[in-house]
């Protein structure tokens, strides 16, 4: 049943240096359903609006007729990044609030510190990434319908995305009605000469990350995000429900500015029938409440497996066969709470934790912790706590628990149910062999085929022996999109401090 090995998860990230076990993508898949458009790297509404205006300005004023690679480079360097550099500089000069979220702030701050002339020239190297870091917002502009990569008949177009004549133009014009009041817009944005400090100070007072004064732009974005849509690129039903969930948490439970740890506690323990609190919530939020509980449960499940993997890597000082690797790790680990010969079923009752217990256990063995001797003891108990949470949950969507293929919560439930009478050591060995070593082999090979990169391998197998490659699993919690959604909602006046 299990020897066939794991399938790759439903979501495959483009990067090759993370998720080398191929197991974190499952929660990303579910989060993408619950919170489309807004993800863990789109943290401020301003950048969608600002990027759309740059498209508008480019198509209005560049004089380009061929929108291929050369036009794309010009758009990137002479419009988006140039405007962004001066926007960041202006906000720093003006001491605008919330500057910590500005892209490219490190080099721009240094430019401001070192410049004694009061005249600022464009530093093209202020941020090396495409679109000044706004590449993460580009897909959202297309999903929301502000830009497009197809023609009027739906055929793919080459080169740059185009601004849509209706919605994209509407947003571009709304932004322009504000920025055109500045001297930067009127006299300087197309110049290659330096820009005086007072001009940038004015720009920073008018164009701010918090979108103060951009009421029309905020109204357009509110409409496109949170009025019901269903088209080829966007079904925002659950985005709207997730928004309503956050409004409910804000008003009924005073969740005002949630961080990662607080949001895990709320989503996993506030409303679950097997959580500590068992708080009430509106029936209309049933789907998203249960689905977000699964997201966090999946993160605990993933992190626990990664903790065991981290201990395996630390144990692999010299090349070992699989039997030696598993055997040595088991013998070298500290077993304070687990008797490896006891049955899986007998350990289950002790694997129910409240939030603080669960978080403290994980903090002992993830991130940069050097002593991983307790990781196996802790990891197996956290994994079994996930089993306890979701076993026989009729209120949870089965398909949500099945995300992740052979390394899913549903597979965990099936495995534990089948093996309850077997000793804990059997389950631990299975996790090490199938969900870590074999899963890494499958995932790393897929990365080789996709990007020809070898950096996905945690374990290198030579002549039936495994050696460590220097790569480690992520061993950290993944981001939760609701945190960014909450900030976006504040930015566009859906919710107020």
């Amino acid at each position: 049943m299990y020897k066939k090995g794991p399938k790759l998860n439903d979501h495959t990230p483009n990067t090759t240096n993370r998720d080398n076990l191929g197991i974190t993508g499952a929660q990303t898949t579910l989060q993408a359903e619950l919170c489309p458009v807004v993800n863990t790297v789109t943290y401020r509404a301003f950048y969608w609006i600002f990027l759309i205006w740059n498209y508008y300005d480019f198509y209005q004023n560049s004089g380009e007729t061929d929108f291929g690679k050369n036009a794309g480079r010009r758009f990137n360097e002479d419009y988006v990044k140039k405007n962004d550099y001066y926007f960041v500089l202006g906000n720093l000069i003006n001491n605008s609030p919330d500057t910590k979220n500005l892209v490219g702030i490190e080099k721009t701050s240094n430019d401001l510190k070192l410049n004694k002339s009061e005249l600022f020239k464009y530093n093209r190297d202020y941020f090396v990434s495409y679109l000044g870091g706004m590449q993460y917002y580009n897909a959202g502009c297309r999903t929301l319908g502000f830009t497009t990569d197809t023609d009027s008949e739906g055929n793919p177009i080459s080169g740059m995305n185009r601004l849509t004549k209706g919605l994209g133009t509407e947003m571009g014009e709304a932004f322009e009605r504000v920025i055109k009041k500045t001297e930067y817009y009127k006299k300087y944005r197309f110049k290659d000469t330096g820009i005086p400090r007072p001009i940038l100070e004015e720009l920073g007072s008018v164009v701010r990350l918090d979108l103060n004064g951009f009421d029309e732009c905020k109204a357009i974005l509110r409409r496109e995000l949170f009025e019901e849509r269903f088209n080829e690129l966007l079904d925002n039903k659950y985005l709207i429900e997730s928004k309503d969930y956050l409004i409910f948490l804000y008003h009924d439970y005073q969740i005002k500015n949630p961080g990662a740890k607080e949001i895990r506690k709320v989503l996993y323990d506030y409303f679950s029938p097997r959580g500590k609190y068992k708080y009430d919530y509106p029936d209309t939020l049933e789907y998203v409440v249960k689905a977000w509980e699964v997201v966090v449960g999946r993160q605990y499940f993933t992190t626990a497996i990664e903790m065991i993997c981290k201990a395996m890597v630390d144990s692999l000082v010299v090349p070992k066969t699989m039997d030696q690797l598993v055997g040595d790790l088991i013998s070298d680990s500290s077993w304070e709470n687990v008797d490896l010969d006891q049955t899986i079923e007998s350990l289950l009752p002790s694997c129910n934790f409240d939030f603080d217990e669960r978080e403290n256990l994980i903090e002992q063995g993830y991130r940069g912790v050097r002593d991983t001797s307790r990781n196996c003891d802790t990891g197996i108990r956290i994994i079994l706590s996930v089993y306890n949470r979701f076993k026989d949950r009729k209120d949870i969507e089965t398909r949500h628990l099945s995300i992740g293929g052979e390394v899913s919560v549903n597979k965990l439930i099936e495995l534990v149910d089948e093996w309850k009478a077997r000793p804990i050591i059997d389950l631990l060995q299975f996790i090490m062999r199938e969900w870590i070593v074999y899963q890494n082999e499958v995932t790393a090979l897929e990365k080789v085929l996709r990007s020809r990169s070898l950096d996905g391998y945690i374990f290198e197998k030579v002549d039936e022996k495994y050696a460590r490659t220097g790569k480690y699993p992520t061993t950290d919690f993944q981001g939760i999109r609701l945190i960014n959604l909450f900030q976006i909602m504040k930015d566009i006046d859906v919710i107020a401090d």
Side-chain angles (χ1 to χ4, degrees):
M1 173 181 178
Y2 295 99
K3 196 58 184 175
K4 291 181 180 179
K7 299 176 183 177
L8 292 178
N9 292 316
D10 302 309
H11 174 276
T12 302
N14 291 327
T15 55
T16 62
N17 59 351
R18 291 183 63 84
D19 193 18
N20 289 336
L21 295 180
I23 59 177
T24 64
Q27 59 84 31
T28 306
T29 297
L30 183 51
Q31 288 204 62
E33 174 191 306
L34 299 172
C35 189
V37 184
V38 180
N39 56 48
T40 57
V41 290
T42 54
Y43 44 86
R44 300 304 296 260
F46 172 85
Y47 284 110
W48 282 307
I49 296 169
F50 185 53
L51 183 56
I52 293 162
W53 172 72
N54 275 278
Y55 274 108
Y56 175 82
D57 197 33
F58 182 79
Y59 283 115
Q60 289 289 316
N61 297 300
S62 70
E64 291 283 354
T65 57
D66 178 4
F67 298 106
K69 289 183 179 180
N70 288 334
R73 282 193 289 269
R74 186 179 171 200
F75 174 65
N76 176 47
E77 291 292 337
D78 297 335
Y79 280 76
V80 181
K81 293 182 73 172
K82 182 178 180 181
N83 287 326
D84 185 48
Y85 176 72
Y86 285 125
F87 157 71
V88 174
L89 199 54
N91 273 257
L92 292 175
I93 291 171
N94 202 51
N95 293 315
S96 298
D98 220 7
T99 55
K100 67 180 183 298
N101 284 149
L102 293 172
V103 173
I105 191 171
E106 183 176 342
K107 288 187 177 180
T108 310
S109 296
N110 195 51
D111 288 351
L112 179 60
K113 180 180 178 181
L114 296 177
N115 193 323
K116 307 300 182 184
S117 71
E118 299 297 296
L119 202 64
F120 295 87
K121 294 202 69 173
Y122 171 34
N123 179 359
R124 291 176 177 270
D125 298 323
Y126 83 105
F127 200 73
V128 296
S129 294
Y130 180 62
L131 299 182
M134 280 177 272
Q135 74 269 30
Y136 302 117
Y137 294 82
N138 210 19
C141 291
R142 188 169 66 88
T143 301
L144 288 167
F146 293 106
T147 61
T148 183
D149 59 1
T150 61
D151 62 21
S152 59
E153 297 180 354
N155 300 311
I157 56 176
S158 60
M160 293 176 56
N161 287 350
R162 307 296 196 268
L163 189 75
T164 53
K165 292 182 179 179
L167 186 57
T169 300
E170 180 188 14
M171 181 66 89
E173 290 176 344
F175 189 95
E176 181 142 304
R177 279 190 278 275
V178 180
I179 195 174
K180 74 178 182 180
K181 302 171 187 176
T182 67
E183 291 300 304
Y184 171 80
Y185 177 90
K186 295 174 185 177
K187 299 179 180 178
Y188 288 94
R189 80 186 196 280
F190 296 138
K191 290 185 177 181
D192 292 327
T193 57
I195 299 181
R197 177 185 286 261
I199 301 300
L200 295 176
E201 186 173 3
E202 181 204 28
L203 177 66
S205 68
V206 173
V207 182
R208 299 185 357 181
L209 197 62
D210 61 8
L211 291 170
N212 183 46
F214 286 87
D215 292 346
E216 188 179 356
C217 293
K218 289 190 282 189
I220 295 169
L221 191 55
R222 281 198 304 271
R223 181 189 73 205
E224 298 308 313
L225 281 171
F226 300 126
E227 289 185 10
E228 192 165 339
R229 299 275 184 273
F230 182 73
N231 55 48
E232 182 181 352
L233 295 179
L234 178 63
D235 177 358
N236 66 344
K237 171 180 169 58
Y238 298 127
L239 177 64
I240 295 170
E241 291 185 15
S242 291
K243 177 261 295 180
D244 293 340
Y245 189 10
L246 287 174
I247 293 173
F248 162 68
L249 292 174
Y250 181 90
H251 290 296
D252 286 50
Y253 291 95
Q254 288 70 57
I255 306 300
K256 304 289 186 179
N257 190 28
K261 193 168 184 178
E262 181 183 14
I263 203 70
R264 284 199 299 273
K265 180 177 183 178
V266 172
L267 300 180
Y268 200 61
D269 289 319
Y270 269 28
F271 307 108
S272 174
R274 295 183 185 170
K276 177 180 179 180
Y277 303 99
K278 301 177 177 62
Y279 291 152
D280 294 327
Y281 57 89
D283 291 343
T284 54
L285 298 178
E286 174 79 11
Y287 183 89
V288 290
V289 166
K290 302 304 181 183
W292 281 110
E293 181 186 353
V294 175
V295 168
V296 180
R298 176 72 200 193
Q299 291 192 355
Y300 284 127
F301 178 55
T302 296
T303 300
I305 294 172
E306 290 175 338
M307 288 171 62
I308 296 173
C309 181
K310 182 176 174 62
M312 292 180 72
V313 174
D314 286 349
S315 174
L316 196 53
V317 178
V318 297
K320 299 177 182 179
T321 65
M322 175 66 76
D323 288 343
Q324 289 172 334
L325 172 57
V326 173
D328 288 351
L329 178 59
I330 289 173
S331 62
D332 293 341
S333 294
S334 175
W335 300 101
E336 300 174 3
N337 305 280
V338 176
D339 178 351
L340 290 172
D341 292 326
Q342 71 181 113
T343 63
I344 297 171
E345 187 172 28
S346 69
L347 184 60
L348 288 171
S350 66
C351 297
N352 291 296
F353 309 110
D354 65 24
F355 178 77
D356 290 333
E357 290 171 334
R358 187 187 313 116
E359 293 280 320
N360 288 338
L361 285 172
I362 291 174
E363 286 174 6
Q364 295 171 11
Y366 80 140
R367 290 183 183 159
V369 173
R370 293 185 178 182
D371 181 6
T372 55
S373 62
R374 291 178 292 179
N375 277 28
C376 292
D377 178 285
T378 297
I380 200 71
R381 288 188 293 142
I382 296 295
I383 289 170
L384 290 178
S385 78
V386 174
Y387 168 89
N388 284 338
R389 172 60 69 96
F390 295 109
K391 166 67 175 172
D392 292 331
R393 284 284 298 277
K394 305 302 182 185
D395 58 330
I396 296 287
E397 292 267 342
T398 301
R399 68 181 182 88
H400 290 167
L401 297 178
S402 297
I403 293 175
E406 293 295 326
V407 193
S408 66
V409 175
N410 252 357
K411 287 298 180 182
L412 168 68
I413 292 170
E414 291 177 9
L415 182 62
V416 171
D417 284 347
E418 182 180 339
W419 286 11
K420 275 185 177 180
R422 294 172 65 166
I424 289 293
I425 192 171
D426 286 359
L427 177 60
L428 184 64
Q429 288 176 336
F430 174 85
I431 292 169
M432 291 176 182
R433 294 173 186 271
E434 302 295 331
W435 285 357
I436 295 177
V437 176
Y438 186 64
Q439 181 70 21
N440 174 240
E441 290 177 347
V442 173
T443 305
L445 179 59
E446 194 275 339
K447 290 182 178 183
V448 170
L449 296 175
R450 186 179 71 244
S451 62
R452 298 186 180 182
S453 171
L454 296 175
D455 66 3
Y457 284 96
I458 298 172
F459 307 97
E460 181 181 10
K461 186 178 181 182
V462 179
D463 295 332
E464 301 305 316
K465 287 191 175 183
Y466 290 88
R468 61 187 182 188
T469 63
K471 300 290 179 182
Y472 274 80
T474 305
T475 57
D476 204 348
F477 289 106
Q478 299 82 49
I480 295 179
R481 294 187 182 202
L482 284 185
I483 296 173
N484 289 22
L485 178 59
F486 188 86
Q487 179 62 59
I488 298 296
M489 290 164 60
K490 289 199 297 183
D491 286 346
I492 59 176
D493 301 336
V494 176
I495 203 165
D497 281 326

